[in-house]
Amino acid sequence: MTSSTSRRTVLAAGAAFLAWGVSSCTGAPAPSPSSGSPGSTGPSEPTATFNFGTAAQPLGLDPALSSDVESQRITRQILEGLVGVDQTTGKPTPLLATEWNESNEGRTYTFKLRTGVTFQDGTPFNADAVVANFNRWFGFTAELRRQAPGSSFKGVFKAHSDEAALSIFKSCTAVDPATVQIDLTQRFTAFLQALTLPAFAIASPAALAAGKADVLDQARAGRPISAFGSAPVGTGPFSFKAWNDQSVTLAANPRYWGDRGQIGTLNFLAYDHPTTRLQALLDGRVDGYDAVTVGNFDQLVKRGKQIVQRDPFSVMYVGINQDIPVLQNLKVRQAIELAIDKETLIRRFFIDNTAKATQFVPPKISGFNNDAPELGHDPAKAKEYLKEGGYAGEELKFYYPLNVTRPYLPTPEKVYAEVSRQLTAAGFNIRPVPVDWADGYLQKVQSPGDHALHLLGWNGSYSDADNFVGPLFGEKNGEFGYQDPQVFSKINRARGLPEGEERDALYRSINAQIADTVPAVPIAFPISALALSDRVLSYPASPVLSEVFTKVQLKP
């Protein structure tokens, strides 16, 4: 590995992002979009072809149902939401809505919509289209949610229409063709930030109907999807063109309302091993790739390739499933934490300056707790705790993914091998369960099942503590089998408090309580990085991965 000093020569991305805080943008018109006015174009017709290397195939291209990084990377190009993210300040910024205001004590939001916008299928974008999308998400059935655990609506709004009394979402109404009113049942402080999630991008209602978007009768990458989920239609700068076993191809949208950039054809090429991504860049087959690992960082530096680092906005963890009886004992879960040497894992498998995690909220987010309890690494004490907890050598199935690299998990097989070694040394009986990412790894570990332990992480999508603790620990789920009504209640209360010390203090308390009860073991806040060819002048790196390729600047 190169020294930390030499790595300072690489470009650091997103430094301003982590100074964001959780600024509010309600109550006044938002600023004009930076990407240009409606109908504007770049200096010329987009004609360049750009090839980007990804770490895996997308799991589906309906953002309302697929929340994995590679799916969202692609759907961000095709579909847009009401609200975007300012790359510098992190504040909500106009996208399909040009301005908004808040009323009714934070329970009503009124959005003015961009006019003259059409979907890629030629149908109009208007208030009715927004209403159709919100009603679709709210109406997702229990069976659809079971088939598509990547759905984000419930994690944000707490419930769907079949449990309407529990939902924060109340209604979405078209006031006129260019105005939409969204009513909530209670204040949700991070509502605007949440709308920046790809899950809330607006799809063409005509395409949703034609593609039977809620009928998942096709399969890709081990996941059921709909016809719409294999060929989505939105208002974004790129239109879907093709998806095969190796790549997804997009084309510049001739109807796009904003800046169309330089790229006419955009290919996302999947390479499931770090060395194949590196070689593709060196051979000129890709113009850039994501998920640079420690193993190829130095080779890129030696060859003078551009490396762009994102500031940490994800957490990698070892998940613990309390639906497995022996893991319901706190002492046994604490023994898992005591057995894991986080510093060795970080030193060996993560890019320099990756920070050790003691909780699930990154350090620069309001609500991070500097005093969150941490047991530390103590194998001898782990053995004592196992004995006190009555562990009798029960086999623990430990799931880990194959053939993938995530922003929070650069080399899963190697990380698993080391964590398993540490746990075995402390007295655990570990049974490895490798699952290819493309064979439905996410669905297996996020659904009820026999997974006792698993490797995974969470990549933040907006700058609020709720985005981290809410989806993971806001209610019982199949991933952790975690039940703490007090934590559930605190998270629900914190979401509705106005920004300020009371809200921050409550999130600090939530972080401490989660750390105390060990529903999972947070390992690291990883730094992720991209590698780019000399052809690229600039790339819009974002800690929340809100990277739209119209902003890629190429040499003439």
Side-chain angles (χ1 to χ4, degrees):
M1 292 175 60
T2 54
S3 68
S4 297
T5 302
S6 67
R7 290 193 180 171
R8 288 288 139 263
T9 62
V10 301
L11 302 173
F17 179 94
L18 290 178
W20 279 4
V22 283
S23 303
S24 173
C25 188
T26 58
S32 300
S34 58
S35 57
S37 58
S40 67
T41 62
S44 61
E45 185 71 14
T47 57
T49 295
F50 193 83
N51 296 326
F52 190 82
T54 65
Q57 282 273 18
L59 298 182
L61 295 180
D62 180 349
L65 298 177
S66 298
S67 60
D68 66 290
V69 168
E70 300 305 349
S71 297
Q72 292 185 348
R73 188 196 306 278
I74 296 170
T75 61
R76 285 182 191 276
Q77 319 305 318
I78 302 171
L79 301 99
E80 300 172 305
L82 298 179
V83 182
V85 177
D86 186 280
Q87 293 287 101
T88 303
T89 66
K91 294 181 180 179
T93 192
L95 201 51
L96 290 178
T98 57
E99 61 182 85
W100 48 79
N101 63 70
E102 173 188 337
S103 59
N104 191 25
E105 298 182 327
R107 294 192 298 272
T108 298
Y109 287 80
T110 304
F111 295 88
K112 287 292 182 182
L113 305 181
R114 196 173 295 282
T115 56
V117 176
T118 59
F119 290 103
Q120 292 141 6
D121 59 6
T123 59
F125 165 76
N126 53 28
D128 287 340
V130 176
V131 172
N133 276 265
F134 271 91
N135 287 345
R136 179 203 174 206
W137 305 327
F138 187 45
F140 281 162
T141 64
E143 173 59 18
L144 180 64
R145 284 155 13 215
R146 185 195 65 76
Q147 289 180 281
S151 169
S152 299
F153 186 92
K154 186 175 182 180
V156 171
F157 292 105
K158 305 308 291 180
H160 292 268
S161 58
D162 55 358
E163 298 178 306
L166 303 177
S167 184
I168 289 174
F169 177 80
K170 182 178 182 182
S171 64
C172 179
T173 308
V175 178
D176 59 49
T179 309
V180 161
Q181 178 176 306
I182 298 176
D183 288 292
L184 309 177
T185 61
Q186 64 187 66
R187 174 188 284 276
F188 175 28
T189 303
F191 174 64
L192 288 172
Q193 285 90 338
L195 288 188
T196 67
L197 288 169
F200 303 121
I202 306 299
S204 159
L208 289 169
K212 297 181 179 178
D214 297 345
V215 179
L216 309 189
D217 57 358
Q218 302 185 16
R220 281 223 185 224
R223 288 277 294 275
I225 63 172
S226 66
F228 176 85
S230 64
V233 178
T235 62
F238 293 94
S239 302
F240 175 83
K241 188 174 181 181
W243 182 5
N244 60 37
D245 291 341
Q246 287 79 41
S247 64
V248 176
T249 299
L250 311 181
N253 174 14
R255 294 187 173 92
Y256 188 53
W257 59 267
D259 185 353
R260 296 175 66 203
Q262 296 175 262
I263 299 170
T265 301
L266 177 56
N267 296 309
F268 293 97
L269 308 173
Y271 299 93
D272 60 16
H273 196 276
T275 58
T276 59
R277 291 194 295 277
L278 170 64
Q279 197 59 48
L281 181 70
L282 299 179
D283 292 345
R285 286 178 282 129
V286 298
D287 300 292
Y289 75 85
D290 202 354
V292 172
T293 62
V294 169
N296 55 34
F297 198 109
D298 292 343
Q299 296 182 58
L300 290 163
V301 171
K302 289 174 184 176
R303 292 172 182 260
K305 298 297 181 183
Q306 300 181 70
I307 302 174
V308 178
Q309 292 189 10
R310 302 183 186 94
D311 276 341
F313 205 66
S314 64
V315 58
M316 178 255 158
Y317 58 79
V318 174
I320 302 173
N321 182 9
Q322 291 184 45
D323 281 338
I324 304 300
V326 69
L327 296 178
Q328 293 171 7
N329 189 290
L330 175 60
K331 285 289 186 180
V332 175
R333 299 198 304 276
Q334 289 175 325
I336 293 171
E337 180 179 352
L338 286 161
I340 296 175
D341 184 353
K342 299 179 185 180
E343 293 181 356
T344 292
L345 291 168
I346 291 168
R347 184 177 67 252
R348 292 182 59 183
F349 305 120
F350 293 88
I351 292 173
D352 280 358
N353 300 312
T354 288
K356 182 175 71 172
T358 60
Q359 58 201 283
F360 290 84
V361 174
K364 298 294 179 67
I365 298 293
S366 296
F368 175 83
N369 189 336
N370 286 311
D371 300 314
E374 180 187 15
L375 296 174
H377 174 54
D378 191 334
K381 185 175 287 187
K383 292 178 181 179
E384 292 177 14
Y385 277 33
L386 279 183
K387 186 175 180 179
E388 292 174 21
Y391 179 73
E394 292 91 339
E395 180 181 83
L396 300 178
K397 293 182 178 180
F398 194 155
Y399 281 60
Y400 64 97
L402 301 176
N403 299 319
V404 72
T405 302
R406 315 311 291 156
Y408 48 75
L409 191 56
T411 51
E413 297 93 338
K414 293 180 180 179
V415 172
Y416 163 77
E418 178 58 24
V419 173
S420 177
R421 185 195 65 77
Q422 294 172 4
L423 292 172
T424 301
F428 287 96
N429 178 11
I430 300 297
R431 177 182 170 186
V433 184
V435 179
D436 196 286
W437 183 263
D439 287 340
Y441 178 80
L442 263 183
Q443 186 159 11
K444 285 180 169 65
V445 301
Q446 291 180 334
S447 303
D450 64 355
H451 52 92
L453 306 173
H454 64 277
L455 290 183
L456 203 60
W458 180 263
N459 201 87
S461 298
Y462 57 89
S463 181
D464 191 88
D466 181 70
N467 183 226
F468 290 85
V469 298
L472 295 174
F473 306 113
E475 63 180 2
K476 185 179 179 182
N477 57 45
E479 183 175 1
F480 305 113
Y482 169 71
Q483 295 193 79
D484 190 329
Q486 189 178 59
V487 166
F488 297 166
S489 176
K490 283 183 174 181
I491 290 174
N492 190 54
R493 178 170 177 266
R495 314 173 100 232
L497 288 176
E499 296 170 9
E501 177 53 30
E502 183 182 3
R503 187 173 193 263
D504 293 349
L506 186 53
Y507 275 116
R508 288 194 294 269
S509 171
I510 291 165
N511 283 322
Q513 194 163 339
I514 292 171
D516 252 339
T517 55
V518 200
V521 181
I523 304 296
F525 296 119
I527 290 175
S528 65
L530 309 104
L532 303 168
S533 74
D534 294 339
R535 183 186 179 211
V536 181
L537 290 175
S538 68
Y539 178 93
S542 160
V544 295
L545 308 180
S546 180
E547 299 166 356
V548 179
F549 282 69
T550 52
K551 295 182 180 180
V552 172
Q553 294 185 0
L554 304 174
K555 290 181 180 177

